[in-house]
Amino acid sequence: MTLVWLIAIPLVGGILSFALSRFSALAARVLALVAMTAQLSLAITLWPSSTSAADPWLQALQARWIPQLGISFSLTIDGLSLLLILLTGLLGIVSVGISWSQIDERVGLFHLNLLWVLAGVTGVFLAMDLFLFYFFWELMLIPMYFLIDLWGHERRHYAAIKFFLFTQLSGLLMLVAIVALFFTHLQQTGVATFEYQQLLSTPLAPLSGMLMMLGFLVAFAVKLPVVPLHTWLPDAHTQAPTAGSVVLAGLLLKTGGYGLIRFVVPLFPEAARAFSVPALVLAVIGILYGAHMAFAQTDMKRLIAYTSVSHLGFVLLGVFTWNALALQGAVIQMLSHGVSTGALFVLAGILQHHLGTRDMAAMGGLWRVVPRLGAAMMFFSMAALGLPGMGNFIGEFLTLLGTYHLSVSFAVVAAAGLILALVYSLWLLDRVLYGPSRDPLAIPDLRASELAIVAALALAILCLGLAPQAFLNISAQALDALLGPGGAP
Protein backbone atom coordinates (compact mmCIF):
# COMPACT_ATOMS: atom_id res chain seq x y z
CA MET A 1 0.00 0.00 0.00
CA THR A 2 3.02 2.31 0.22
CA LEU A 3 2.79 3.04 -3.50
CA VAL A 4 -0.88 3.97 -3.26
CA TRP A 5 -0.15 6.29 -0.35
CA LEU A 6 2.56 8.08 -2.32
CA ILE A 7 -0.16 9.17 -4.75
CA ALA A 8 -3.05 9.43 -2.31
CA ILE A 9 -1.32 11.74 0.19
CA PRO A 10 -1.04 14.73 -2.19
CA LEU A 11 -4.45 13.95 -3.73
CA VAL A 12 -6.23 13.90 -0.37
CA GLY A 13 -4.04 16.70 0.97
CA GLY A 14 -5.13 18.95 -1.89
CA ILE A 15 -8.81 18.27 -1.27
CA LEU A 16 -8.51 18.85 2.48
CA SER A 17 -6.48 22.00 1.94
CA PHE A 18 -9.21 23.35 -0.33
CA ALA A 19 -11.88 22.48 2.22
CA LEU A 20 -9.98 24.03 5.14
CA SER A 21 -9.33 27.27 3.25
CA ARG A 22 -12.96 28.26 3.84
CA PHE A 23 -12.13 28.58 7.51
CA SER A 24 -8.43 29.50 7.52
CA ALA A 25 -5.89 30.15 4.77
CA LEU A 26 -3.14 29.37 7.26
CA ALA A 27 -4.62 25.94 7.98
CA ALA A 28 -4.76 25.23 4.24
CA ARG A 29 -1.09 26.12 3.84
CA VAL A 30 -0.04 24.07 6.86
CA LEU A 31 -1.96 21.02 5.71
CA ALA A 32 -0.43 21.20 2.22
CA LEU A 33 3.04 21.42 3.77
CA VAL A 34 2.32 18.47 6.06
CA ALA A 35 1.05 16.40 3.13
CA MET A 36 4.17 16.93 1.05
CA THR A 37 6.42 16.33 4.07
CA ALA A 38 4.57 13.07 4.70
CA GLN A 39 5.02 11.99 1.07
CA LEU A 40 8.75 12.73 1.16
CA SER A 41 9.13 10.91 4.49
CA LEU A 42 7.31 7.86 3.12
CA ALA A 43 9.55 7.81 0.04
CA ILE A 44 12.66 8.03 2.21
CA THR A 45 11.64 4.82 4.01
CA LEU A 46 12.17 2.99 0.70
CA TRP A 47 15.78 4.17 0.41
CA PRO A 48 17.46 1.32 2.37
CA SER A 49 15.81 -1.39 0.27
CA SER A 50 16.88 0.31 -2.98
CA THR A 51 20.52 -0.76 -2.59
CA SER A 52 20.02 -4.13 -0.85
CA ALA A 53 17.24 -5.72 -2.90
CA ALA A 54 18.19 -8.50 -5.34
CA ASP A 55 15.29 -7.54 -7.62
CA PRO A 56 15.39 -4.10 -9.27
CA TRP A 57 11.68 -3.72 -8.48
CA LEU A 58 11.43 -2.64 -4.85
CA GLN A 59 7.64 -2.85 -4.50
CA ALA A 60 4.75 -3.63 -6.80
CA LEU A 61 0.98 -3.42 -6.62
CA GLN A 62 -1.43 -4.79 -9.19
CA ALA A 63 -5.22 -4.78 -9.03
CA ARG A 64 -7.95 -5.40 -11.59
CA TRP A 65 -9.39 -2.18 -12.99
CA ILE A 66 -11.06 -2.74 -16.38
CA PRO A 67 -10.30 -6.41 -17.06
CA GLN A 68 -12.41 -6.57 -20.23
CA LEU A 69 -9.91 -4.18 -21.86
CA GLY A 70 -6.83 -5.56 -20.18
CA ILE A 71 -6.39 -2.44 -18.02
CA SER A 72 -5.02 -2.89 -14.51
CA PHE A 73 -4.10 -0.59 -11.65
CA SER A 74 -0.43 -1.49 -11.78
CA LEU A 75 2.12 0.47 -9.75
CA THR A 76 5.80 -0.44 -9.44
CA ILE A 77 8.84 1.34 -8.03
CA ASP A 78 12.51 0.81 -8.73
CA GLY A 79 15.59 2.92 -8.03
CA LEU A 80 14.95 5.23 -10.98
CA SER A 81 11.38 5.93 -9.88
CA LEU A 82 12.45 6.33 -6.26
CA LEU A 83 14.98 9.05 -7.02
CA LEU A 84 12.45 11.05 -9.00
CA ILE A 85 9.78 10.64 -6.31
CA LEU A 86 12.26 11.88 -3.70
CA LEU A 87 12.81 14.91 -5.94
CA THR A 88 9.02 15.33 -6.20
CA GLY A 89 8.65 15.37 -2.41
CA LEU A 90 11.49 17.85 -1.92
CA LEU A 91 10.31 20.29 -4.59
CA GLY A 92 6.72 19.86 -3.42
CA ILE A 93 7.72 21.14 0.02
CA VAL A 94 9.67 23.99 -1.61
CA SER A 95 6.68 24.93 -3.80
CA VAL A 96 4.30 25.07 -0.85
CA GLY A 97 6.81 26.97 1.26
CA ILE A 98 7.64 29.64 -1.31
CA SER A 99 3.92 30.23 -1.96
CA TRP A 100 3.33 31.08 1.69
CA SER A 101 3.91 34.80 1.19
CA GLN A 102 3.28 35.07 -2.56
CA ILE A 103 -0.21 33.58 -2.97
CA ASP A 104 -2.96 35.56 -1.27
CA GLU A 105 -5.99 34.84 -3.45
CA ARG A 106 -7.92 31.54 -3.57
CA VAL A 107 -5.34 29.90 -1.35
CA GLY A 108 -7.21 26.61 -1.02
CA LEU A 109 -7.81 26.27 -4.75
CA PHE A 110 -4.16 27.04 -5.40
CA HIS A 111 -2.96 24.25 -3.11
CA LEU A 112 -5.56 21.86 -4.54
CA ASN A 113 -4.12 22.36 -8.02
CA LEU A 114 -0.51 22.33 -6.83
CA LEU A 115 -0.85 19.07 -4.90
CA TRP A 116 -2.81 17.41 -7.69
CA VAL A 117 -0.02 18.24 -10.13
CA LEU A 118 2.40 16.58 -7.71
CA ALA A 119 0.11 13.56 -7.38
CA GLY A 120 -0.03 13.23 -11.15
CA VAL A 121 3.75 13.46 -11.43
CA THR A 122 4.12 10.76 -8.75
CA GLY A 123 1.68 8.54 -10.63
CA VAL A 124 3.66 8.96 -13.85
CA PHE A 125 6.79 7.71 -12.07
CA LEU A 126 4.96 4.69 -10.64
CA ALA A 127 2.49 3.51 -13.31
CA MET A 128 3.37 0.27 -15.12
CA ASP A 129 0.12 -0.06 -17.04
CA LEU A 130 0.33 2.18 -20.12
CA PHE A 131 -3.32 3.23 -19.86
CA LEU A 132 -2.81 4.14 -16.21
CA PHE A 133 0.39 5.98 -17.18
CA TYR A 134 -1.57 8.05 -19.69
CA PHE A 135 -4.23 8.74 -17.05
CA PHE A 136 -1.64 10.24 -14.69
CA TRP A 137 0.05 12.03 -17.61
CA GLU A 138 -3.21 13.90 -18.23
CA LEU A 139 -3.91 14.36 -14.52
CA MET A 140 -0.80 16.50 -14.04
CA LEU A 141 -1.51 18.74 -17.05
CA ILE A 142 -4.94 20.11 -16.17
CA PRO A 143 -4.13 21.53 -12.70
CA MET A 144 -0.85 22.91 -14.12
CA TYR A 145 -2.92 24.80 -16.68
CA PHE A 146 -4.98 26.37 -13.90
CA LEU A 147 -1.88 27.26 -11.86
CA ILE A 148 -0.57 29.29 -14.80
CA ASP A 149 -3.91 30.72 -15.89
CA LEU A 150 -5.26 31.76 -12.48
CA TRP A 151 -2.13 32.76 -10.55
CA GLY A 152 0.28 33.70 -13.34
CA HIS A 153 1.47 37.08 -14.51
CA GLU A 154 0.58 39.55 -17.25
CA ARG A 155 0.33 37.12 -20.22
CA ARG A 156 -0.80 34.13 -18.23
CA HIS A 157 -3.81 33.24 -20.40
CA TYR A 158 -1.70 33.03 -23.55
CA ALA A 159 1.01 30.99 -21.79
CA ALA A 160 -1.50 28.61 -20.21
CA ILE A 161 -3.29 27.90 -23.49
CA LYS A 162 0.01 27.41 -25.34
CA PHE A 163 1.21 25.01 -22.64
CA PHE A 164 -2.03 23.05 -22.78
CA LEU A 165 -2.14 22.81 -26.57
CA PHE A 166 1.44 21.61 -26.91
CA THR A 167 1.21 19.04 -24.14
CA GLN A 168 -2.32 17.86 -24.91
CA LEU A 169 -1.82 17.38 -28.65
CA SER A 170 1.48 15.56 -28.16
CA GLY A 171 -0.17 13.47 -25.44
CA LEU A 172 -2.87 12.42 -27.90
CA LEU A 173 -0.16 11.16 -30.25
CA MET A 174 1.17 9.04 -27.40
CA LEU A 175 -2.34 7.69 -26.72
CA VAL A 176 -2.67 6.65 -30.37
CA ALA A 177 0.71 4.89 -30.11
CA ILE A 178 -0.35 3.14 -26.89
CA VAL A 179 -3.57 1.87 -28.49
CA ALA A 180 -1.68 0.75 -31.60
CA LEU A 181 0.82 -1.17 -29.46
CA PHE A 182 -2.08 -2.73 -27.53
CA PHE A 183 -3.78 -4.01 -30.70
CA THR A 184 -0.51 -5.22 -32.20
CA HIS A 185 0.19 -7.25 -29.06
CA LEU A 186 -3.41 -8.54 -29.02
CA GLN A 187 -3.21 -9.63 -32.65
CA GLN A 188 0.04 -11.51 -32.13
CA THR A 189 -0.64 -13.14 -28.75
CA GLY A 190 -4.38 -13.04 -28.23
CA VAL A 191 -3.78 -11.35 -24.86
CA ALA A 192 -5.42 -7.98 -24.19
CA THR A 193 -3.11 -6.03 -21.93
CA PHE A 194 -1.59 -2.61 -21.36
CA GLU A 195 0.95 -4.05 -18.90
CA TYR A 196 4.45 -2.70 -19.52
CA GLN A 197 6.33 -5.94 -18.86
CA GLN A 198 4.20 -7.91 -21.31
CA LEU A 199 4.36 -5.28 -24.03
CA LEU A 200 8.16 -5.13 -23.84
CA SER A 201 8.56 -8.28 -25.91
CA THR A 202 6.05 -7.38 -28.64
CA PRO A 203 7.56 -8.00 -32.12
CA LEU A 204 7.02 -4.99 -34.37
CA ALA A 205 7.44 -4.42 -38.09
CA PRO A 206 10.04 -1.71 -38.80
CA LEU A 207 7.57 0.89 -40.08
CA SER A 208 4.90 0.37 -37.40
CA GLY A 209 7.57 0.26 -34.69
CA MET A 210 9.03 3.56 -35.89
CA LEU A 211 5.60 5.25 -36.03
CA MET A 212 4.67 4.04 -32.54
CA MET A 213 8.04 5.08 -31.17
CA LEU A 214 7.64 8.56 -32.67
CA GLY A 215 4.22 8.86 -31.00
CA PHE A 216 5.82 8.32 -27.61
CA LEU A 217 8.91 10.34 -28.49
CA VAL A 218 7.02 13.46 -29.52
CA ALA A 219 5.05 13.50 -26.25
CA PHE A 220 8.20 13.16 -24.16
CA ALA A 221 10.21 15.53 -26.38
CA VAL A 222 7.62 18.27 -25.92
CA LYS A 223 7.80 17.86 -22.17
CA LEU A 224 11.62 17.55 -21.90
CA PRO A 225 11.68 19.90 -24.03
CA VAL A 226 13.53 19.19 -27.27
CA VAL A 227 14.17 21.86 -29.91
CA PRO A 228 12.05 22.69 -31.95
CA LEU A 229 9.17 21.51 -29.69
CA HIS A 230 10.27 23.79 -26.84
CA THR A 231 8.52 27.05 -27.67
CA TRP A 232 5.82 26.66 -25.00
CA LEU A 233 8.42 26.51 -22.23
CA PRO A 234 9.77 30.09 -21.99
CA ASP A 235 6.24 31.52 -21.96
CA ALA A 236 4.97 29.05 -19.38
CA HIS A 237 7.96 29.59 -17.08
CA THR A 238 7.84 33.35 -17.40
CA GLN A 239 4.14 33.66 -16.69
CA ALA A 240 3.71 30.95 -14.04
CA PRO A 241 3.75 31.80 -10.34
CA THR A 242 6.97 30.90 -8.55
CA ALA A 243 5.67 27.52 -7.35
CA GLY A 244 4.46 26.75 -10.87
CA SER A 245 7.88 27.52 -12.31
CA VAL A 246 9.56 25.29 -9.71
CA VAL A 247 7.21 22.38 -10.48
CA LEU A 248 7.51 22.89 -14.23
CA ALA A 249 11.31 23.03 -14.27
CA GLY A 250 11.96 20.59 -11.48
CA LEU A 251 9.36 17.91 -12.14
CA LEU A 252 7.19 18.15 -15.26
CA LEU A 253 10.22 18.36 -17.53
CA LYS A 254 11.62 15.28 -15.79
CA THR A 255 8.58 13.25 -16.78
CA GLY A 256 9.80 13.67 -20.36
CA GLY A 257 13.26 12.35 -19.52
CA TYR A 258 11.78 9.52 -17.48
CA GLY A 259 9.48 8.54 -20.35
CA LEU A 260 12.40 8.36 -22.77
CA ILE A 261 14.36 6.08 -20.43
CA ARG A 262 11.47 3.90 -19.29
CA PHE A 263 9.34 3.57 -22.40
CA VAL A 264 10.78 4.82 -25.70
CA VAL A 265 13.97 2.76 -25.94
CA PRO A 266 12.87 -0.39 -24.06
CA LEU A 267 9.55 -0.71 -25.92
CA PHE A 268 10.97 0.13 -29.35
CA PRO A 269 14.66 -0.87 -29.34
CA GLU A 270 15.03 -1.27 -33.10
CA ALA A 271 13.26 1.98 -33.92
CA ALA A 272 15.26 3.79 -31.22
CA ARG A 273 18.50 2.50 -32.73
CA ALA A 274 17.45 3.67 -36.18
CA PHE A 275 16.55 7.12 -34.82
CA SER A 276 19.60 7.50 -32.57
CA VAL A 277 21.66 9.77 -34.85
CA PRO A 278 18.83 12.29 -35.46
CA ALA A 279 18.11 12.25 -31.71
CA LEU A 280 21.77 12.95 -30.88
CA VAL A 281 21.79 15.80 -33.40
CA LEU A 282 18.68 17.28 -31.79
CA ALA A 283 20.30 16.92 -28.38
CA VAL A 284 23.42 18.85 -29.40
CA ILE A 285 21.32 21.51 -31.14
CA GLY A 286 19.26 21.92 -27.97
CA ILE A 287 22.36 22.26 -25.78
CA LEU A 288 23.85 25.00 -27.96
CA TYR A 289 20.61 26.74 -28.95
CA GLY A 290 19.28 26.91 -25.38
CA ALA A 291 22.54 28.40 -24.13
CA HIS A 292 22.63 30.95 -26.96
CA MET A 293 19.03 32.02 -26.36
CA ALA A 294 19.60 32.29 -22.61
CA PHE A 295 22.37 34.81 -23.20
CA ALA A 296 20.02 36.91 -25.38
CA GLN A 297 17.31 37.37 -22.72
CA THR A 298 16.60 40.41 -20.56
CA ASP A 299 13.74 38.76 -18.64
CA MET A 300 15.29 36.87 -15.73
CA LYS A 301 12.79 34.01 -15.65
CA ARG A 302 12.94 33.65 -19.42
CA LEU A 303 16.73 33.36 -19.23
CA ILE A 304 16.46 30.58 -16.65
CA ALA A 305 13.84 28.86 -18.81
CA TYR A 306 16.17 28.70 -21.79
CA THR A 307 18.90 27.22 -19.61
CA SER A 308 16.55 24.27 -19.09
CA VAL A 309 16.45 23.68 -22.85
CA SER A 310 20.25 23.56 -22.82
CA HIS A 311 20.79 21.48 -19.69
CA LEU A 312 18.14 18.91 -20.55
CA GLY A 313 19.69 18.41 -23.96
CA PHE A 314 22.25 16.37 -22.01
CA VAL A 315 19.42 14.05 -20.92
CA LEU A 316 18.38 13.40 -24.52
CA LEU A 317 22.06 12.88 -25.37
CA GLY A 318 22.47 10.34 -22.56
CA VAL A 319 19.30 8.41 -23.41
CA PHE A 320 20.13 7.86 -27.08
CA THR A 321 23.76 7.12 -26.31
CA TRP A 322 22.27 4.29 -24.21
CA ASN A 323 25.18 2.97 -22.20
CA ALA A 324 25.55 2.74 -18.42
CA LEU A 325 27.68 5.86 -18.02
CA ALA A 326 25.48 8.06 -20.18
CA LEU A 327 22.25 6.87 -18.55
CA GLN A 328 23.64 7.40 -15.04
CA GLY A 329 24.68 10.87 -16.14
CA ALA A 330 21.22 11.58 -17.53
CA VAL A 331 19.59 10.57 -14.23
CA ILE A 332 21.96 12.70 -12.13
CA GLN A 333 21.44 15.57 -14.56
CA MET A 334 17.67 15.36 -14.13
CA LEU A 335 18.00 15.44 -10.35
CA SER A 336 20.59 18.22 -10.31
CA HIS A 337 18.72 20.35 -12.82
CA GLY A 338 15.53 19.99 -10.80
CA VAL A 339 17.27 21.27 -7.68
CA SER A 340 19.47 24.02 -9.13
CA THR A 341 16.98 25.45 -11.62
CA GLY A 342 14.17 25.15 -9.09
CA ALA A 343 16.30 27.21 -6.70
CA LEU A 344 17.00 29.86 -9.36
CA PHE A 345 13.26 30.17 -10.01
CA VAL A 346 12.68 30.54 -6.27
CA LEU A 347 15.17 33.42 -6.14
CA ALA A 348 13.79 35.00 -9.32
CA GLY A 349 10.28 34.77 -7.89
CA ILE A 350 11.36 36.47 -4.66
CA LEU A 351 12.95 39.32 -6.62
CA GLN A 352 9.89 39.72 -8.83
CA HIS A 353 7.64 39.72 -5.76
CA HIS A 354 9.62 42.57 -4.19
CA LEU A 355 10.55 44.58 -7.29
CA GLY A 356 7.45 44.00 -9.40
CA THR A 357 9.60 43.20 -12.46
CA ARG A 358 11.63 40.41 -14.04
CA ASP A 359 13.57 42.79 -16.25
CA MET A 360 17.28 42.57 -15.46
CA ALA A 361 17.74 46.08 -16.90
CA ALA A 362 15.80 47.38 -13.88
CA MET A 363 18.10 45.58 -11.47
CA GLY A 364 21.81 45.89 -10.76
CA GLY A 365 23.78 46.43 -7.59
CA LEU A 366 21.61 44.03 -5.61
CA TRP A 367 24.60 42.42 -3.91
CA ARG A 368 24.84 45.47 -1.63
CA VAL A 369 21.11 45.45 -0.93
CA VAL A 370 20.37 41.73 -0.47
CA PRO A 371 23.69 39.96 0.18
CA ARG A 372 22.10 36.69 1.34
CA LEU A 373 19.98 36.44 -1.79
CA GLY A 374 23.00 37.43 -3.88
CA ALA A 375 25.14 34.69 -2.33
CA ALA A 376 22.40 32.13 -2.98
CA MET A 377 22.05 33.27 -6.60
CA MET A 378 25.80 33.02 -7.11
CA PHE A 379 25.87 29.52 -5.57
CA PHE A 380 23.10 28.12 -7.78
CA SER A 381 24.40 29.90 -10.88
CA MET A 382 27.72 28.16 -10.30
CA ALA A 383 25.84 24.89 -9.90
CA ALA A 384 24.00 25.49 -13.18
CA LEU A 385 27.22 26.10 -15.10
CA GLY A 386 28.61 22.79 -13.83
CA LEU A 387 31.09 23.79 -11.16
CA PRO A 388 32.92 20.70 -9.79
CA GLY A 389 31.59 19.66 -6.42
CA MET A 390 27.96 20.21 -7.44
CA GLY A 391 25.51 17.76 -8.96
CA ASN A 392 25.28 19.31 -12.43
CA PHE A 393 28.99 18.69 -12.99
CA ILE A 394 28.58 14.98 -12.23
CA GLY A 395 25.58 14.61 -14.54
CA GLU A 396 27.15 16.41 -17.47
CA PHE A 397 30.55 14.74 -17.00
CA LEU A 398 29.11 11.22 -16.95
CA THR A 399 26.87 11.95 -19.94
CA LEU A 400 29.76 13.34 -21.97
CA LEU A 401 32.01 10.44 -20.94
CA GLY A 402 29.38 7.92 -22.04
CA THR A 403 28.83 9.82 -25.29
CA TYR A 404 32.59 9.91 -25.92
CA HIS A 405 32.61 6.11 -26.02
CA LEU A 406 29.98 6.23 -28.76
CA SER A 407 31.02 9.32 -30.72
CA VAL A 408 33.89 11.71 -30.05
CA SER A 409 32.34 14.32 -32.35
CA PHE A 410 29.02 14.50 -30.49
CA ALA A 411 30.82 14.64 -27.14
CA VAL A 412 33.10 17.49 -28.22
CA VAL A 413 30.32 19.60 -29.72
CA ALA A 414 28.07 19.02 -26.68
CA ALA A 415 30.93 20.04 -24.37
CA ALA A 416 30.83 23.50 -25.98
CA GLY A 417 27.55 23.96 -24.13
CA LEU A 418 29.49 24.02 -20.87
CA ILE A 419 31.46 27.04 -22.08
CA LEU A 420 28.27 28.83 -23.09
CA ALA A 421 26.77 28.01 -19.68
CA LEU A 422 29.65 29.90 -18.09
CA VAL A 423 28.87 32.91 -20.28
CA TYR A 424 25.16 33.17 -19.53
CA SER A 425 25.62 32.42 -15.82
CA LEU A 426 28.14 35.25 -15.44
CA TRP A 427 25.89 37.47 -17.55
CA LEU A 428 23.01 36.81 -15.17
CA LEU A 429 25.11 37.56 -12.08
CA ASP A 430 26.57 40.73 -13.59
CA ARG A 431 23.21 42.17 -14.62
CA VAL A 432 21.42 41.38 -11.37
CA LEU A 433 24.01 41.60 -8.60
CA TYR A 434 26.74 43.96 -9.74
CA GLY A 435 27.17 47.25 -11.51
CA PRO A 436 25.29 50.48 -10.74
CA SER A 437 21.74 50.20 -9.44
CA ARG A 438 19.23 51.46 -12.01
CA ASP A 439 17.00 52.93 -9.29
CA PRO A 440 17.35 53.26 -5.54
CA LEU A 441 16.31 49.81 -4.33
CA ALA A 442 15.22 49.02 -0.81
CA ILE A 443 13.96 45.46 -0.64
CA PRO A 444 14.20 42.92 2.17
CA ASP A 445 16.81 40.18 2.09
CA LEU A 446 15.93 36.49 2.42
CA ARG A 447 13.76 35.80 5.44
CA ALA A 448 14.22 32.83 7.75
CA SER A 449 11.71 30.64 5.86
CA GLU A 450 13.26 31.52 2.51
CA LEU A 451 16.74 30.86 3.89
CA ALA A 452 15.57 27.42 5.03
CA ILE A 453 14.30 26.62 1.52
CA VAL A 454 17.51 27.81 -0.11
CA ALA A 455 19.66 25.93 2.43
CA ALA A 456 17.77 22.67 1.81
CA LEU A 457 18.25 22.97 -1.94
CA ALA A 458 21.92 23.89 -1.51
CA LEU A 459 22.46 20.82 0.67
CA ALA A 460 20.76 18.64 -1.96
CA ILE A 461 22.94 19.92 -4.82
CA LEU A 462 26.09 19.46 -2.71
CA CYS A 463 25.10 15.89 -1.82
CA LEU A 464 24.60 15.12 -5.50
CA GLY A 465 27.99 16.62 -6.30
CA LEU A 466 30.10 15.40 -3.39
CA ALA A 467 28.50 12.01 -2.73
CA PRO A 468 27.05 10.98 -6.10
CA GLN A 469 27.73 7.29 -5.54
CA ALA A 470 24.86 7.08 -3.05
CA PHE A 471 22.45 8.14 -5.80
CA LEU A 472 24.18 6.15 -8.52
CA ASN A 473 23.80 3.01 -6.40
CA ILE A 474 20.05 3.56 -6.12
CA SER A 475 19.46 3.74 -9.86
CA ALA A 476 22.13 1.21 -10.89
CA GLN A 477 19.97 -1.94 -10.78
CA ALA A 478 17.06 -0.27 -12.58
CA LEU A 479 19.29 1.02 -15.38
CA ASP A 480 21.12 -2.32 -15.66
CA ALA A 481 17.76 -4.03 -16.13
CA LEU A 482 16.84 -1.58 -18.88
CA LEU A 483 20.20 -2.11 -20.58
CA GLY A 484 19.75 -5.89 -20.48
CA PRO A 485 17.84 -8.13 -22.89
CA GLY A 486 14.65 -6.44 -24.01
CA GLY A 487 15.94 -3.08 -22.91
CA ALA A 488 18.98 -2.43 -25.02
CA PRO A 489 18.64 -1.18 -28.58
Side-chain angles (χ1 to χ4, degrees):
M1 289 297 291
T2 300
L3 304 185
V4 174
W5 280 113
L6 287 171
I7 300 170
I9 287 172
L11 277 177
V12 176
I15 295 171
L16 294 179
S17 181
F18 177 69
L20 282 178
S21 66
R22 299 185 179 184
F23 308 101
S24 169
L26 177 61
R29 299 182 199 275
V30 170
L31 194 144
L33 187 62
V34 169
M36 292 315 303
T37 303
Q39 191 206 41
L40 177 60
S41 302
L42 185 60
I44 290 173
T45 63
L46 297 173
W47 186 306
S49 62
S50 64
T51 55
S52 61
D55 191 328
W57 301 110
L58 308 178
Q59 287 194 22
L61 172 71
Q62 187 160 10
R64 292 160 62 89
W65 187 11
I66 312 175
Q68 296 88 342
L69 299 178
I71 299 172
S72 62
F73 190 82
S74 177
L75 303 176
T76 311
I77 190 169
D78 62 1
L80 174 62
S81 301
L82 176 60
L83 286 174
L84 292 169
I85 290 172
L86 289 169
L87 180 66
T88 302
L90 173 63
L91 294 185
I93 293 172
V94 168
S95 300
V96 174
I98 200 61
S99 304
W100 209 283
S101 59
Q102 296 186 15
I103 301 298
D104 299 319
E105 298 179 354
R106 294 171 287 196
V107 172
L109 183 61
F110 174 85
H111 286 95
L112 171 66
N113 282 283
L114 177 61
L115 267 65
W116 276 45
V117 171
L118 297 169
V121 170
T122 304
V124 163
F125 294 145
L126 292 177
M128 282 292 108
D129 179 282
L130 293 189
F131 185 88
L132 182 65
F133 173 82
Y134 182 76
F135 172 81
F136 284 120
W137 185 265
E138 293 298 302
L139 176 63
M140 69 182 178
L141 300 183
I142 297 172
M144 191 70 234
Y145 167 85
F146 287 116
L147 284 178
I148 299 171
D149 189 63
L150 297 179
W151 292 276
H153 303 300
E154 62 277 359
R155 299 190 67 203
R156 60 186 182 274
H157 303 305
Y158 167 79
I161 291 172
K162 191 173 183 180
F163 161 78
F164 189 78
L165 288 176
F166 267 76
T167 51
Q168 183 69 18
L169 291 176
S170 62
L172 288 175
L173 287 177
M174 180 171 67
L175 178 61
V176 171
I178 290 172
V179 172
L181 182 60
F182 167 84
F183 279 111
T184 301
H185 183 83
L186 177 63
Q187 183 179 27
Q188 293 179 356
T189 65
V191 177
T193 182
F194 286 91
E195 183 63 33
Y196 171 77
Q197 293 290 351
Q198 295 188 51
L199 294 176
L200 274 178
S201 57
T202 305
L204 299 170
L207 178 59
S208 60
M210 178 62 72
L211 291 175
M212 291 180 209
M213 187 275 291
L214 289 175
F216 279 82
L217 180 63
V218 169
F220 300 140
V222 166
K223 194 61 65 65
L224 190 58
V226 175
V227 176
L229 303 174
H230 70 290
T231 57
W232 64 272
L233 180 71
D235 294 305
H237 270 318
T238 303
Q239 301 303 321
T242 302
S245 294
V246 171
V247 170
L248 265 175
L251 299 174
L252 262 70
L253 305 190
K254 306 309 174 293
T255 62
Y258 172 81
L260 292 174
I261 296 172
R262 178 73 76 195
F263 297 105
V264 169
V265 182
L267 286 172
F268 312 102
E270 296 300 325
R273 182 193 294 122
F275 194 75
S276 61
V277 173
L280 293 174
V281 171
L282 289 173
V284 171
I285 290 173
I287 291 169
L288 300 180
Y289 172 83
H292 169 74
M293 290 301 295
F295 181 71
Q297 304 307 309
T298 58
D299 185 306
M300 187 177 177
K301 289 183 73 175
R302 200 171 183 88
L303 184 154
I304 300 169
Y306 273 111
T307 68
S308 294
V309 177
S310 181
H311 290 308
L312 293 176
F314 285 96
V315 175
L316 183 64
L317 190 71
V319 170
F320 279 90
T321 297
W322 202 253
N323 58 43
L325 279 174
L327 282 179
Q328 287 280 30
V331 172
I332 295 295
Q333 179 70 352
M334 287 196 289
L335 299 174
S336 302
H337 175 269
V339 175
S340 61
T341 306
L344 287 173
F345 274 118
V346 166
L347 298 172
I350 292 171
L351 282 178
Q352 182 179 4
H353 183 66
H354 291 313
L355 296 174
T357 182
R358 301 181 302 273
D359 187 0
M360 292 186 292
M363 301 178 191
L366 288 180
W367 183 272
R368 298 185 296 273
V369 181
V370 284
R372 292 194 294 272
L373 188 148
M377 182 167 290
M378 178 174 289
F379 177 89
F380 288 108
S381 295
M382 294 301 102
L385 65 82
L387 188 72
M390 300 186 187
N392 303 65
F393 171 77
I394 301 296
E396 290 165 356
F397 177 77
L398 289 176
T399 303
L400 289 173
L401 189 59
T403 304
Y404 184 86
H405 289 306
L406 175 71
S407 169
V408 176
S409 300
F410 279 118
V412 169
V413 177
L418 304 181
I419 300 172
L420 295 176
L422 174 65
V423 174
Y424 65 66
S425 296
L426 294 179
W427 167 260
L428 169 65
L429 294 175
D430 180 67
R431 297 293 300 275
V432 175
L433 300 181
Y434 301 108
S437 177
R438 305 311 191 267
D439 293 298
L441 297 175
I443 61 175
D445 207 345
L446 294 179
R447 299 175 301 174
S449 59
E450 294 164 343
L451 273 174
I453 290 171
V454 169
L457 294 173
L459 179 62
I461 204 70
L462 286 173
C463 288
L464 285 163
L466 298 175
Q469 194 61 50
F471 302 92
L472 295 173
N473 289 341
I474 293 176
S475 60
Q477 273 195 314
L479 296 179
D480 287 344
L482 290 171
L483 286 165

